[in-house]
Amino acid sequence: MELDLMKDARIRIIIGHYGSGKTEFAVNYAMMLSKQTDNVALCDLDIVNPYFRSREKASIMEASGITVISGARGHNANLDLPMVSPNVLAPIQNEEMQVILDVGGDSVGARVLARFASYFKQGAYDMFFVLNANREQTQDALGVISHIRNIEDTVGCKVTGLINNTHLLRETDVNEVLKGQELALEVSKTLNIPIKYVSTLEKVTHQLPTDLEGEIFPIKMYMREDWM
């Protein structure tokens, strides 16, 4: 049964530590959402990480009817400059648009969101923190909570859901997902933030227990070529 992503708030902010799989999730989310509704926009607001940006898959998303907004110099600019396109504001303001904001992975990257904070009213947005228990700074609850609180303080709004995206790329198995789920549960209980999705490769989703907290979200690897 396909997930109903329209249950999420109109503005979805996707954030997570570098290497969490944040951008992979954001692209997958946009592709799935585009099958459920029109007027989907993905805004690449990652001005910190020069690698594996959602803008790299603009052609794939645009072919599915998704509006992709990247840096001020466009999708394919050679210069890596921390400039946000002024076009980002249009889908945020347009209540007919379903918006995904792919944001840099720490409090520094989250600074770009502060300029749009007035639009992030309670109920009008979701901010999902993508958690990968295999990343150095998010291997325990203290590390994850520190990242979440720093981001919240920077943006001025709260994380509304956790995404367990613990992975080892194509070597991901059930044990890795369950390890991440245990960490996500600890963070969830401490901060009173629900686990929204359990995100993993489609082949692994069929092996997961059916009683996990959070909806199972199968993903494809758009951001990595077959040889990577």
PDB file of all heavy atoms in Angstrom, residues 167-202:
ATOM      1  N   HIS A 167      21.672   3.373   7.358  1.00  0.00           N
ATOM      2  CA  HIS A 167      22.002   2.591   6.167  1.00  0.00           C
ATOM      3  C   HIS A 167      23.499   2.390   6.021  1.00  0.00           C
ATOM      4  O   HIS A 167      24.319   3.071   6.636  1.00  0.00           O
ATOM      5  CB  HIS A 167      21.479   3.302   4.908  1.00  0.00           C
ATOM      6  CG  HIS A 167      22.173   4.615   4.637  1.00  0.00           C
ATOM      7  ND1 HIS A 167      23.358   4.698   3.937  1.00  0.00           N
ATOM      8  CD2 HIS A 167      21.861   5.881   4.980  1.00  0.00           C
ATOM      9  CE1 HIS A 167      23.742   5.955   3.850  1.00  0.00           C
ATOM     10  NE2 HIS A 167      22.843   6.703   4.487  1.00  0.00           N
ATOM     11  N   LEU A 168      23.840   1.430   5.181  1.00  0.00           N
ATOM     12  CA  LEU A 168      25.206   1.203   4.696  1.00  0.00           C
ATOM     13  C   LEU A 168      25.143   1.120   3.170  1.00  0.00           C
ATOM     14  O   LEU A 168      25.621   0.165   2.563  1.00  0.00           O
ATOM     15  CB  LEU A 168      25.784  -0.080   5.294  1.00  0.00           C
ATOM     16  CG  LEU A 168      26.093  -0.057   6.795  1.00  0.00           C
ATOM     17  CD1 LEU A 168      26.477  -1.454   7.274  1.00  0.00           C
ATOM     18  CD2 LEU A 168      27.218   0.926   7.115  1.00  0.00           C
ATOM     19  N   LEU A 169      24.469   2.114   2.584  1.00  0.00           N
ATOM     20  CA  LEU A 169      24.254   2.146   1.142  1.00  0.00           C
ATOM     21  C   LEU A 169      23.633   0.820   0.690  1.00  0.00           C
ATOM     22  O   LEU A 169      22.666   0.371   1.286  1.00  0.00           O
ATOM     23  CB  LEU A 169      25.564   2.471   0.421  1.00  0.00           C
ATOM     24  CG  LEU A 169      26.185   3.832   0.790  1.00  0.00           C
ATOM     25  CD1 LEU A 169      27.529   4.006   0.104  1.00  0.00           C
ATOM     26  CD2 LEU A 169      25.242   4.969   0.426  1.00  0.00           C
ATOM     27  N   ARG A 170      24.179   0.195  -0.347  1.00  0.00           N
ATOM     28  CA  ARG A 170      23.562  -1.024  -0.872  1.00  0.00           C
ATOM     29  C   ARG A 170      23.787  -2.240   0.017  1.00  0.00           C
ATOM     30  O   ARG A 170      23.192  -3.304  -0.222  1.00  0.00           O
ATOM     31  CB  ARG A 170      24.087  -1.303  -2.283  1.00  0.00           C
ATOM     32  CG  ARG A 170      23.617  -0.263  -3.306  1.00  0.00           C
ATOM     33  CD  ARG A 170      24.082  -0.586  -4.716  1.00  0.00           C
ATOM     34  NE  ARG A 170      23.593   0.395  -5.674  1.00  0.00           N
ATOM     35  CZ  ARG A 170      24.161   1.561  -5.920  1.00  0.00           C
ATOM     36  NH1 ARG A 170      25.279   1.883  -5.288  1.00  0.00           N
ATOM     37  NH2 ARG A 170      23.643   2.398  -6.799  1.00  0.00           N
ATOM     38  N   GLU A 171      24.638  -2.084   1.038  1.00  0.00           N
ATOM     39  CA  GLU A 171      24.883  -3.192   1.968  1.00  0.00           C
ATOM     40  C   GLU A 171      23.920  -3.163   3.156  1.00  0.00           C
ATOM     41  O   GLU A 171      24.036  -3.976   4.072  1.00  0.00           O
ATOM     42  CB  GLU A 171      26.328  -3.137   2.484  1.00  0.00           C
ATOM     43  CG  GLU A 171      27.394  -3.187   1.399  1.00  0.00           C
ATOM     44  CD  GLU A 171      27.256  -4.412   0.510  1.00  0.00           C
ATOM     45  OE1 GLU A 171      27.080  -5.519   1.059  1.00  0.00           O
ATOM     46  OE2 GLU A 171      27.308  -4.249  -0.721  1.00  0.00           O
ATOM     47  N   THR A 172      22.982  -2.253   3.144  1.00  0.00           N
ATOM     48  CA  THR A 172      22.023  -2.134   4.238  1.00  0.00           C
ATOM     49  C   THR A 172      21.227  -3.423   4.390  1.00  0.00           C
ATOM     50  O   THR A 172      20.782  -4.016   3.412  1.00  0.00           O
ATOM     51  CB  THR A 172      21.046  -0.975   3.972  1.00  0.00           C
ATOM     52  OG1 THR A 172      21.789   0.226   3.782  1.00  0.00           O
ATOM     53  CG2 THR A 172      20.080  -0.793   5.130  1.00  0.00           C
ATOM     54  N   ASP A 173      21.056  -3.848   5.652  1.00  0.00           N
ATOM     55  CA  ASP A 173      20.212  -5.012   5.923  1.00  0.00           C
ATOM     56  C   ASP A 173      19.273  -4.695   7.087  1.00  0.00           C
ATOM     57  O   ASP A 173      19.284  -3.590   7.633  1.00  0.00           O
ATOM     58  CB  ASP A 173      21.057  -6.263   6.209  1.00  0.00           C
ATOM     59  CG  ASP A 173      21.990  -6.107   7.405  1.00  0.00           C
ATOM     60  OD1 ASP A 173      21.759  -5.203   8.254  1.00  0.00           O
ATOM     61  OD2 ASP A 173      22.955  -6.877   7.508  1.00  0.00           O
ATOM     62  N   VAL A 174      18.462  -5.649   7.451  1.00  0.00           N
ATOM     63  CA  VAL A 174      17.461  -5.446   8.501  1.00  0.00           C
ATOM     64  C   VAL A 174      18.109  -5.051   9.821  1.00  0.00           C
ATOM     65  O   VAL A 174      17.599  -4.176  10.540  1.00  0.00           O
ATOM     66  CB  VAL A 174      16.614  -6.725   8.676  1.00  0.00           C
ATOM     67  CG1 VAL A 174      15.716  -6.599   9.895  1.00  0.00           C
ATOM     68  CG2 VAL A 174      15.778  -6.978   7.438  1.00  0.00           C
ATOM     69  N   ASN A 175      19.234  -5.666  10.152  1.00  0.00           N
ATOM     70  CA  ASN A 175      19.885  -5.368  11.426  1.00  0.00           C
ATOM     71  C   ASN A 175      20.300  -3.905  11.526  1.00  0.00           C
ATOM     72  O   ASN A 175      20.210  -3.298  12.605  1.00  0.00           O
ATOM     73  CB  ASN A 175      21.107  -6.282  11.629  1.00  0.00           C
ATOM     74  CG  ASN A 175      20.717  -7.730  11.848  1.00  0.00           C
ATOM     75  OD1 ASN A 175      19.644  -8.015  12.380  1.00  0.00           O
ATOM     76  ND2 ASN A 175      21.587  -8.651  11.438  1.00  0.00           N
ATOM     77  N   GLU A 176      20.761  -3.335  10.414  1.00  0.00           N
ATOM     78  CA  GLU A 176      21.138  -1.923  10.424  1.00  0.00           C
ATOM     79  C   GLU A 176      19.918  -1.039  10.679  1.00  0.00           C
ATOM     80  O   GLU A 176      19.971  -0.080  11.445  1.00  0.00           O
ATOM     81  CB  GLU A 176      21.797  -1.542   9.093  1.00  0.00           C
ATOM     82  CG  GLU A 176      23.162  -2.149   8.873  1.00  0.00           C
ATOM     83  CD  GLU A 176      24.155  -1.765   9.950  1.00  0.00           C
ATOM     84  OE1 GLU A 176      24.155  -0.600  10.378  1.00  0.00           O
ATOM     85  OE2 GLU A 176      24.931  -2.650  10.367  1.00  0.00           O
ATOM     86  N   VAL A 177      18.822  -1.342  10.015  1.00  0.00           N
ATOM     87  CA  VAL A 177      17.605  -0.554  10.195  1.00  0.00           C
ATOM     88  C   VAL A 177      17.117  -0.644  11.638  1.00  0.00           C
ATOM     89  O   VAL A 177      16.742   0.362  12.255  1.00  0.00           O
ATOM     90  CB  VAL A 177      16.506  -1.028   9.228  1.00  0.00           C
ATOM     91  CG1 VAL A 177      15.211  -0.241   9.462  1.00  0.00           C
ATOM     92  CG2 VAL A 177      16.959  -0.870   7.783  1.00  0.00           C
ATOM     93  N   LEU A 178      17.143  -1.837  12.206  1.00  0.00           N
ATOM     94  CA  LEU A 178      16.669  -2.023  13.578  1.00  0.00           C
ATOM     95  C   LEU A 178      17.599  -1.344  14.585  1.00  0.00           C
ATOM     96  O   LEU A 178      17.135  -0.848  15.622  1.00  0.00           O
ATOM     97  CB  LEU A 178      16.527  -3.513  13.893  1.00  0.00           C
ATOM     98  CG  LEU A 178      15.462  -4.254  13.076  1.00  0.00           C
ATOM     99  CD1 LEU A 178      15.411  -5.723  13.474  1.00  0.00           C
ATOM    100  CD2 LEU A 178      14.103  -3.596  13.234  1.00  0.00           C
ATOM    101  N   LYS A 179      18.894  -1.321  14.287  1.00  0.00           N
ATOM    102  CA  LYS A 179      19.823  -0.577  15.143  1.00  0.00           C
ATOM    103  C   LYS A 179      19.449   0.898  15.153  1.00  0.00           C
ATOM    104  O   LYS A 179      19.398   1.536  16.221  1.00  0.00           O
ATOM    105  CB  LYS A 179      21.264  -0.760  14.631  1.00  0.00           C
ATOM    106  CG  LYS A 179      22.296   0.047  15.415  1.00  0.00           C
ATOM    107  CD  LYS A 179      23.709  -0.205  14.904  1.00  0.00           C
ATOM    108  CE  LYS A 179      23.944   0.405  13.546  1.00  0.00           C
ATOM    109  NZ  LYS A 179      25.347   0.244  13.090  1.00  0.00           N
ATOM    110  N   GLY A 180      19.181   1.450  13.986  1.00  0.00           N
ATOM    111  CA  GLY A 180      18.771   2.847  13.916  1.00  0.00           C
ATOM    112  C   GLY A 180      17.430   3.092  14.578  1.00  0.00           C
ATOM    113  O   GLY A 180      17.210   4.149  15.177  1.00  0.00           O
ATOM    114  N   GLN A 181      16.537   2.113  14.474  1.00  0.00           N
ATOM    115  CA  GLN A 181      15.221   2.271  15.084  1.00  0.00           C
ATOM    116  C   GLN A 181      15.321   2.366  16.603  1.00  0.00           C
ATOM    117  O   GLN A 181      14.599   3.143  17.246  1.00  0.00           O
ATOM    118  CB  GLN A 181      14.333   1.089  14.689  1.00  0.00           C
ATOM    119  CG  GLN A 181      12.880   1.236  15.081  1.00  0.00           C
ATOM    120  CD  GLN A 181      12.133   2.270  14.249  1.00  0.00           C
ATOM    121  OE1 GLN A 181      12.697   2.875  13.339  1.00  0.00           O
ATOM    122  NE2 GLN A 181      10.871   2.454  14.537  1.00  0.00           N
ATOM    123  N   GLU A 182      16.223   1.601  17.173  1.00  0.00           N
ATOM    124  CA  GLU A 182      16.427   1.660  18.624  1.00  0.00           C
ATOM    125  C   GLU A 182      16.896   3.050  19.052  1.00  0.00           C
ATOM    126  O   GLU A 182      16.417   3.607  20.049  1.00  0.00           O
ATOM    127  CB  GLU A 182      17.459   0.603  19.046  1.00  0.00           C
ATOM    128  CG  GLU A 182      17.676   0.503  20.536  1.00  0.00           C
ATOM    129  CD  GLU A 182      18.642  -0.608  20.913  1.00  0.00           C
ATOM    130  OE1 GLU A 182      18.971  -1.444  20.043  1.00  0.00           O
ATOM    131  OE2 GLU A 182      19.079  -0.646  22.085  1.00  0.00           O
ATOM    132  N   LEU A 183      17.800   3.627  18.293  1.00  0.00           N
ATOM    133  CA  LEU A 183      18.282   4.972  18.590  1.00  0.00           C
ATOM    134  C   LEU A 183      17.163   5.994  18.381  1.00  0.00           C
ATOM    135  O   LEU A 183      16.974   6.904  19.199  1.00  0.00           O
ATOM    136  CB  LEU A 183      19.477   5.302  17.701  1.00  0.00           C
ATOM    137  CG  LEU A 183      20.055   6.717  17.802  1.00  0.00           C
ATOM    138  CD1 LEU A 183      20.466   7.035  19.237  1.00  0.00           C
ATOM    139  CD2 LEU A 183      21.239   6.877  16.855  1.00  0.00           C
ATOM    140  N   ALA A 184      16.425   5.844  17.298  1.00  0.00           N
ATOM    141  CA  ALA A 184      15.328   6.769  17.019  1.00  0.00           C
ATOM    142  C   ALA A 184      14.282   6.734  18.125  1.00  0.00           C
ATOM    143  O   ALA A 184      13.732   7.779  18.513  1.00  0.00           O
ATOM    144  CB  ALA A 184      14.693   6.435  15.667  1.00  0.00           C
ATOM    145  N   LEU A 185      14.001   5.559  18.649  1.00  0.00           N
ATOM    146  CA  LEU A 185      13.040   5.434  19.744  1.00  0.00           C
ATOM    147  C   LEU A 185      13.523   6.163  20.989  1.00  0.00           C
ATOM    148  O   LEU A 185      12.735   6.817  21.691  1.00  0.00           O
ATOM    149  CB  LEU A 185      12.782   3.960  20.055  1.00  0.00           C
ATOM    150  CG  LEU A 185      11.874   3.205  19.083  1.00  0.00           C
ATOM    151  CD1 LEU A 185      11.942   1.704  19.347  1.00  0.00           C
ATOM    152  CD2 LEU A 185      10.442   3.705  19.198  1.00  0.00           C
ATOM    153  N   GLU A 186      14.804   6.061  21.281  1.00  0.00           N
ATOM    154  CA  GLU A 186      15.353   6.750  22.449  1.00  0.00           C
ATOM    155  C   GLU A 186      15.227   8.259  22.304  1.00  0.00           C
ATOM    156  O   GLU A 186      14.816   8.965  23.231  1.00  0.00           O
ATOM    157  CB  GLU A 186      16.824   6.353  22.649  1.00  0.00           C
ATOM    158  CG  GLU A 186      17.441   6.942  23.908  1.00  0.00           C
ATOM    159  CD  GLU A 186      18.875   6.497  24.125  1.00  0.00           C
ATOM    160  OE1 GLU A 186      19.381   5.663  23.333  1.00  0.00           O
ATOM    161  OE2 GLU A 186      19.509   6.997  25.085  1.00  0.00           O
ATOM    162  N   VAL A 187      15.566   8.761  21.126  1.00  0.00           N
ATOM    163  CA  VAL A 187      15.443  10.197  20.864  1.00  0.00           C
ATOM    164  C   VAL A 187      13.975  10.622  20.898  1.00  0.00           C
ATOM    165  O   VAL A 187      13.627  11.665  21.463  1.00  0.00           O
ATOM    166  CB  VAL A 187      16.073  10.552  19.500  1.00  0.00           C
ATOM    167  CG1 VAL A 187      15.824  12.011  19.153  1.00  0.00           C
ATOM    168  CG2 VAL A 187      17.570  10.249  19.508  1.00  0.00           C
ATOM    169  N   SER A 188      13.123   9.800  20.311  1.00  0.00           N
ATOM    170  CA  SER A 188      11.692  10.099  20.276  1.00  0.00           C
ATOM    171  C   SER A 188      11.117  10.248  21.679  1.00  0.00           C
ATOM    172  O   SER A 188      10.363  11.200  21.957  1.00  0.00           O
ATOM    173  CB  SER A 188      10.953   8.983  19.521  1.00  0.00           C
ATOM    174  OG  SER A 188       9.556   9.155  19.594  1.00  0.00           O
ATOM    175  N   LYS A 189      11.464   9.348  22.554  1.00  0.00           N
ATOM    176  CA  LYS A 189      10.953   9.390  23.927  1.00  0.00           C
ATOM    177  C   LYS A 189      11.519  10.574  24.700  1.00  0.00           C
ATOM    178  O   LYS A 189      10.815  11.207  25.484  1.00  0.00           O
ATOM    179  CB  LYS A 189      11.276   8.081  24.638  1.00  0.00           C
ATOM    180  CG  LYS A 189      10.511   6.886  24.096  1.00  0.00           C
ATOM    181  CD  LYS A 189      10.940   5.590  24.759  1.00  0.00           C
ATOM    182  CE  LYS A 189      10.180   4.395  24.185  1.00  0.00           C
ATOM    183  NZ  LYS A 189      10.641   3.104  24.771  1.00  0.00           N
ATOM    184  N   THR A 190      12.786  10.884  24.470  1.00  0.00           N
ATOM    185  CA  THR A 190      13.427  11.982  25.198  1.00  0.00           C
ATOM    186  C   THR A 190      12.858  13.332  24.784  1.00  0.00           C
ATOM    187  O   THR A 190      12.600  14.196  25.630  1.00  0.00           O
ATOM    188  CB  THR A 190      14.946  11.967  24.953  1.00  0.00           C
ATOM    189  OG1 THR A 190      15.478  10.710  25.384  1.00  0.00           O
ATOM    190  CG2 THR A 190      15.632  13.092  25.723  1.00  0.00           C
ATOM    191  N   LEU A 191      12.660  13.533  23.491  1.00  0.00           N
ATOM    192  CA  LEU A 191      12.218  14.833  22.974  1.00  0.00           C
ATOM    193  C   LEU A 191      10.724  14.889  22.669  1.00  0.00           C
ATOM    194  O   LEU A 191      10.220  15.939  22.276  1.00  0.00           O
ATOM    195  CB  LEU A 191      13.006  15.175  21.706  1.00  0.00           C
ATOM    196  CG  LEU A 191      14.516  15.346  21.864  1.00  0.00           C
ATOM    197  CD1 LEU A 191      15.148  15.727  20.531  1.00  0.00           C
ATOM    198  CD2 LEU A 191      14.858  16.385  22.927  1.00  0.00           C
ATOM    199  N   ASN A 192      10.049  13.762  22.810  1.00  0.00           N
ATOM    200  CA  ASN A 192       8.618  13.694  22.492  1.00  0.00           C
ATOM    201  C   ASN A 192       8.352  14.081  21.033  1.00  0.00           C
ATOM    202  O   ASN A 192       7.445  14.854  20.725  1.00  0.00           O
ATOM    203  CB  ASN A 192       7.798  14.580  23.439  1.00  0.00           C
ATOM    204  CG  ASN A 192       6.304  14.280  23.370  1.00  0.00           C
ATOM    205  OD1 ASN A 192       5.904  13.144  23.095  1.00  0.00           O
ATOM    206  ND2 ASN A 192       5.480  15.279  23.609  1.00  0.00           N
ATOM    207  N   ILE A 193       9.184  13.529  20.145  1.00  0.00           N
ATOM    208  CA  ILE A 193       9.037  13.726  18.703  1.00  0.00           C
ATOM    209  C   ILE A 193       8.730  12.362  18.089  1.00  0.00           C
ATOM    210  O   ILE A 193       9.473  11.407  18.313  1.00  0.00           O
ATOM    211  CB  ILE A 193      10.318  14.294  18.069  1.00  0.00           C
ATOM    212  CG1 ILE A 193      10.671  15.654  18.673  1.00  0.00           C
ATOM    213  CG2 ILE A 193      10.165  14.420  16.557  1.00  0.00           C
ATOM    214  CD1 ILE A 193      12.021  16.187  18.218  1.00  0.00           C
ATOM    215  N   PRO A 194       7.667  12.225  17.325  1.00  0.00           N
ATOM    216  CA  PRO A 194       7.322  10.907  16.765  1.00  0.00           C
ATOM    217  C   PRO A 194       8.297  10.466  15.678  1.00  0.00           C
ATOM    218  O   PRO A 194       8.907  11.286  14.999  1.00  0.00           O
ATOM    219  CB  PRO A 194       5.923  11.129  16.183  1.00  0.00           C
ATOM    220  CG  PRO A 194       5.899  12.584  15.848  1.00  0.00           C
ATOM    221  CD  PRO A 194       6.696  13.270  16.927  1.00  0.00           C
ATOM    222  N   ILE A 195       8.431   9.153  15.532  1.00  0.00           N
ATOM    223  CA  ILE A 195       9.129   8.597  14.380  1.00  0.00           C
ATOM    224  C   ILE A 195       8.127   8.577  13.236  1.00  0.00           C
ATOM    225  O   ILE A 195       7.117   7.882  13.287  1.00  0.00           O
ATOM    226  CB  ILE A 195       9.659   7.181  14.655  1.00  0.00           C
ATOM    227  CG1 ILE A 195      10.647   7.206  15.829  1.00  0.00           C
ATOM    228  CG2 ILE A 195      10.330   6.603  13.398  1.00  0.00           C
ATOM    229  CD1 ILE A 195      11.105   5.821  16.269  1.00  0.00           C
ATOM    230  N   LYS A 196       8.392   9.355  12.219  1.00  0.00           N
ATOM    231  CA  LYS A 196       7.443   9.511  11.107  1.00  0.00           C
ATOM    232  C   LYS A 196       7.613   8.411  10.075  1.00  0.00           C
ATOM    233  O   LYS A 196       6.645   7.800   9.634  1.00  0.00           O
ATOM    234  CB  LYS A 196       7.621  10.890  10.462  1.00  0.00           C
ATOM    235  CG  LYS A 196       6.625  11.194   9.362  1.00  0.00           C
ATOM    236  CD  LYS A 196       5.210  11.298   9.895  1.00  0.00           C
ATOM    237  CE  LYS A 196       4.232  11.598   8.770  1.00  0.00           C
ATOM    238  NZ  LYS A 196       2.845  11.695   9.251  1.00  0.00           N
ATOM    239  N   TYR A 197       8.875   8.185   9.655  1.00  0.00           N
ATOM    240  CA  TYR A 197       9.123   7.191   8.618  1.00  0.00           C
ATOM    241  C   TYR A 197      10.335   6.339   8.969  1.00  0.00           C
ATOM    242  O   TYR A 197      11.278   6.807   9.623  1.00  0.00           O
ATOM    243  CB  TYR A 197       9.373   7.859   7.263  1.00  0.00           C
ATOM    244  CG  TYR A 197       8.182   8.637   6.732  1.00  0.00           C
ATOM    245  CD1 TYR A 197       8.218  10.026   6.615  1.00  0.00           C
ATOM    246  CD2 TYR A 197       7.023   7.982   6.343  1.00  0.00           C
ATOM    247  CE1 TYR A 197       7.141  10.741   6.136  1.00  0.00           C
ATOM    248  CE2 TYR A 197       5.933   8.689   5.868  1.00  0.00           C
ATOM    249  CZ  TYR A 197       5.992  10.067   5.771  1.00  0.00           C
ATOM    250  OH  TYR A 197       4.907  10.767   5.303  1.00  0.00           O
ATOM    251  N   VAL A 198      10.297   5.093   8.518  1.00  0.00           N
ATOM    252  CA  VAL A 198      11.457   4.197   8.540  1.00  0.00           C
ATOM    253  C   VAL A 198      11.830   3.986   7.086  1.00  0.00           C
ATOM    254  O   VAL A 198      11.121   3.310   6.334  1.00  0.00           O
ATOM    255  CB  VAL A 198      11.137   2.860   9.230  1.00  0.00           C
ATOM    256  CG1 VAL A 198      12.360   1.948   9.222  1.00  0.00           C
ATOM    257  CG2 VAL A 198      10.643   3.095  10.654  1.00  0.00           C
ATOM    258  N   SER A 199      12.915   4.595   6.675  1.00  0.00           N
ATOM    259  CA  SER A 199      13.285   4.680   5.270  1.00  0.00           C
ATOM    260  C   SER A 199      14.422   3.715   4.964  1.00  0.00           C
ATOM    261  O   SER A 199      15.473   3.756   5.610  1.00  0.00           O
ATOM    262  CB  SER A 199      13.701   6.128   4.953  1.00  0.00           C
ATOM    263  OG  SER A 199      14.260   6.225   3.668  1.00  0.00           O
ATOM    264  N   THR A 200      14.221   2.866   3.963  1.00  0.00           N
ATOM    265  CA  THR A 200      15.276   1.920   3.601  1.00  0.00           C
ATOM    266  C   THR A 200      15.033   1.384   2.195  1.00  0.00           C
ATOM    267  O   THR A 200      13.994   1.655   1.586  1.00  0.00           O
ATOM    268  CB  THR A 200      15.364   0.760   4.610  1.00  0.00           C
ATOM    269  OG1 THR A 200      16.549  -0.002   4.365  1.00  0.00           O
ATOM    270  CG2 THR A 200      14.141  -0.147   4.532  1.00  0.00           C
ATOM    271  N   LEU A 201      15.992   0.645   1.682  1.00  0.00           N
ATOM    272  CA  LEU A 201      15.878   0.057   0.356  1.00  0.00           C
ATOM    273  C   LEU A 201      14.640  -0.828   0.267  1.00  0.00           C
ATOM    274  O   LEU A 201      14.282  -1.512   1.228  1.00  0.00           O
ATOM    275  CB  LEU A 201      17.122  -0.770   0.043  1.00  0.00           C
ATOM    276  CG  LEU A 201      18.463  -0.026  -0.003  1.00  0.00           C
ATOM    277  CD1 LEU A 201      19.599  -1.021  -0.147  1.00  0.00           C
ATOM    278  CD2 LEU A 201      18.488   0.976  -1.142  1.00  0.00           C
ATOM    279  N   GLU A 202      14.008  -0.819  -0.884  1.00  0.00           N
ATOM    280  CA  GLU A 202      12.761  -1.573  -1.038  1.00  0.00           C
ATOM    281  C   GLU A 202      12.941  -3.043  -0.698  1.00  0.00           C
ATOM    282  O   GLU A 202      12.067  -3.655  -0.063  1.00  0.00           O
ATOM    283  CB  GLU A 202      12.234  -1.417  -2.463  1.00  0.00           C
ATOM    284  CG  GLU A 202      10.871  -2.056  -2.660  1.00  0.00           C
ATOM    285  CD  GLU A 202      10.258  -1.729  -4.003  1.00  0.00           C
ATOM    286  OE1 GLU A 202      10.952  -1.122  -4.844  1.00  0.00           O
ATOM    287  OE2 GLU A 202       9.085  -2.087  -4.206  1.00  0.00           O
TER     288      GLU A 202
END
